[in-house]
Amino acid sequence: MKGMKVFSYIKKYRILIVITSIAMGALFYMYFSRRQTYTAVAIIQYTNPEAKNGLAPDGTEIDTSEIYSSEVMIRVFQKMNLSYDENNMDAIRAAITVQPVLSQEEASVQEALNEKGEVWEEQSTVYRVSYTVGKGSVSNGQEFASKLLTTMLNVYTEVYAENHVNNSVSPNDISDIYDADYDYIEMVEIIDNSIGEAINNLGYKSELDFRSATTGYSFKDLQGEFALLRDIDLSSLYAYILENTVTKDQDVLLSKYENRIKNYTLENGASESQINGIEEIINSYVDMMRESGNTEFTYEYILGDVYDNYYRNITGDPDSESYLNADVTTEYDNLMNGYVKGRTGFEEALIDIGYAQYILNVFSGDRDRSSGIEVNVIERPSELNSQGDAASEAGASGAEGVESAESVSEEDDGFRDGILTFTSNTEKRKEIVSSEEEKSRAYNKIRDLVNELDRLYEIVTESNQEYNQFAGAQNISIMTDTVTSESINLFIYAVLSVVLFGVAGCAVAVVCGRLFEIFEYYVYVDKKFDIANRAGCDRYIGKFENKMFTEEVSCVYFKMMDIETKNRIHGGEHCDEMIRDFCSIIQMIFPKEQSFVAMNGVGQFVIFVNDIERDLVRAYVNECGRQCLDYNATKACKISYVCGISSSSTDGIYQLRKLMLDAIRKAAAAIK
């Protein structure tokens, strides 16, 4: 049996190995490409002074989950024109991670404190923000991941400034002024309130050293624009409506303002109990200060007793020891703040009542009464209900009401309690019907004013948005550009798979080639003489059974003579050696690349020679004869044979089997 020839096996199946390796590499590339993910990464840093303590500029804790909050992602979807049907916001948010980044020094300090069992209180100010998207989720995962993360961080800096730096935004609350059933004077009031809020909101911003590059306005400029609009246009509009008493419906308007007066009166009545309670505590404090006669005392001495007694009394059990121990200093401050707030609201309600009464008088046609407000001063707020009810009843019955003011003396602290009550002249009003021209002019003035306000609000919004971007960039630094990386290097994986399957293919080729040789050896080779047997010869002929040769093909048939006699005389061993030597002579003379040699029976050899002229074949046969003569000169068991040669060109036979039969026939004729 032939030895293993590794490279011959690989060479034999090289095309199949190459095709298989490339095909498997392509399959693996497609497989991993479907599982490919792209991760976009950027580093941000909170730069405000309190960031190391985990605090935002407004004192609240820094919450990194705001980076991918719904508020931020909604704006990201808007900026990127993403469809909610094609992109799941929750899935995108789940794919975003924020991790603190510690320097080597910070990590060492944290590790040392942890070993001691202590907590490292200083917070990290640097964070790694990443977003991972699968290739199957979007068409261009790498570009999408980078763009989304960049947009998200830019939006976050703006939202961060809105929530923690510049959280006061001027509201545009006049957008529905035409939709609701407001009268002209009510529209003006709404516009007035809106302008006032805008001026207040722009108040602290007016000191900022910032000017919008887009609008060209600073916040101080915008505050001046609103103030100018209020002082000129709004005042002119007020004057026109009041001077001409322009109204859509006089009855409805008067009813609205009468209800306002009633509501303000009820609100002040509700605050009476709170104000009286606070005054009771304050008066107790003052009385105990006067009675003590001691100027060397602490707040616990007086305020403690006041609070103890007060809270015992409100429980209904004077002997009860179950009372509230409060921080009296803080409670007293809160007490005074509450008193000031309640009293301020009380007085503001009086002003609102006065304004409402003025509008009632104007649109009742009683301009003389509108020029001077009638007031009735009540000494205590507790008298509010009775006087307020009396005023209401007077208004309902059409009486003139109270027409004179009743004075009271001032307290030692210079404060005079009081409440204004007003007359209602709904029964004595003059009927007012505004002309269409007056209504149209009032409406046009309001429309022009609203349009100008809308323009200013748009400028404020745009300037505020630009400032938020500026303020966000001041407090959050995006330290690196967005870098996107692949989780799998598809090219390397494809090359590795090609190499792997190439090596595996070579190994399979060697194993299969060797197994095939073993099979052929046991089926198609004569083991004794190591040459193709009859089955091997038939298989070779079967390959070309239906093929007509066009090139020169020859068949040489050797039949060794007297095999049985020589076997009997010289013994089987010497006879087999003689046959083996003759086989070696044949294999040595006929070229291997162009010849096929087979033993077609004991002592019978068939040789097919391809693409060699007949004369050269004869020369090979003659050389075999000469070699045999030399062999016989030294060996006792001599070689003797007969030979038949058949060639396709000479004999006109172009099929192997017929060519072999013709050579056998010629050898048989030579024996005879």
Side-chain angles (χ1 to χ4, degrees), residues 265 268 346 350 353 375-381 383-384 387 417-421:
T265 304
N268 276 359
F346 189 87
L350 297 182
I353 291 173
V375 59
N376 178 27
V377 181
I378 298 175
E379 183 176 358
R380 305 299 305 168
E383 301 177 28
L384 172 67
Q387 294 291 342
D417 297 318
I419 179 169
L420 299 176
T421 60

Side-chain angles (χ1 to χ4, degrees), residues 528-580:
K528 182 183 291 186
F529 302 105
D530 196 21
I531 192 173
N533 56 17
R534 182 188 293 273
C537 183
D538 292 339
R539 187 184 67 159
Y540 181 80
I541 294 173
K543 290 181 182 180
F544 309 97
E545 185 71 33
N546 300 320
K547 184 177 179 180
M548 301 292 289
F549 291 100
T550 57
E551 69 274 10
E552 181 72 17
V553 178
S554 299
C555 178
V556 180
Y557 177 75
F558 289 100
K559 179 175 176 58
M560 302 187 73
M561 306 299 294
D562 303 325
I563 296 297
E564 295 181 0
T565 303
K566 293 174 182 177
N567 187 46
R568 185 174 59 253
I569 296 173
H570 300 288
E573 184 177 349
H574 291 285
C575 186
D576 291 342
E577 183 181 357
M578 179 268 297
I579 297 174
R580 189 177 295 107

Side-chain angles (χ1 to χ4, degrees), residues 139 226 244 283 420 435 464 574 609 611 639 654:
S139 57
F226 277 103
N244 297 280
N283 291 334
L420 299 176
S435 66
N464 197 69
H574 291 285
V609 183
D611 202 19
I639 297 175
Y654 298 96

Side-chain angles (χ1 to χ4, degrees), residues 461-474:
T461 301
E462 192 170 355
S463 301
N464 197 69
Q465 185 176 2
E466 187 174 339
Y467 175 73
N468 286 335
Q469 295 173 354
F470 167 74
Q474 281 189 320

Side-chain angles (χ1 to χ4, degrees), residues 16 58 60 87 114 186 196 201 225 366 390 403 467 495 498 502 524 535 617 624 659 663:
L16 181 60
D58 61 348
T60 60
N87 301 274
N114 290 338
E186 291 179 293
N201 287 332
E225 291 287 332
D366 190 359
E403 296 183 356
Y467 175 73
V495 171
V498 169
Y524 301 112
V617 173
C624 286
L659 205 61

Side-chain angles (χ1 to χ4, degrees), residues 166-231:
N166 177 35
N167 54 7
S168 178
V169 180
S170 300
N172 184 1
D173 52 2
I174 60 173
S175 57
D176 61 343
I177 194 171
Y178 302 115
D179 299 333
D181 188 21
Y182 294 121
D183 210 319
Y184 300 112
I185 189 64
E186 291 179 293
M187 291 184 181
V188 176
E189 290 174 2
I190 293 172
I191 295 173
D192 191 7
N193 292 333
S194 179
I195 294 177
E197 289 183 10
I199 293 174
N200 291 334
N201 287 332
L202 291 169
Y204 84 94
K205 296 180 184 178
S206 62
E207 303 300 325
L208 296 174
D209 186 17
F210 173 80
R211 182 175 295 275
S212 171
T214 304
T215 64
Y217 284 89
S218 67
F219 289 119
K220 188 172 184 179
D221 295 338
L222 292 171
Q223 187 184 34
E225 291 287 332
F226 277 103
L228 190 64
L229 204 64
R230 178 193 59 188
D231 296 340

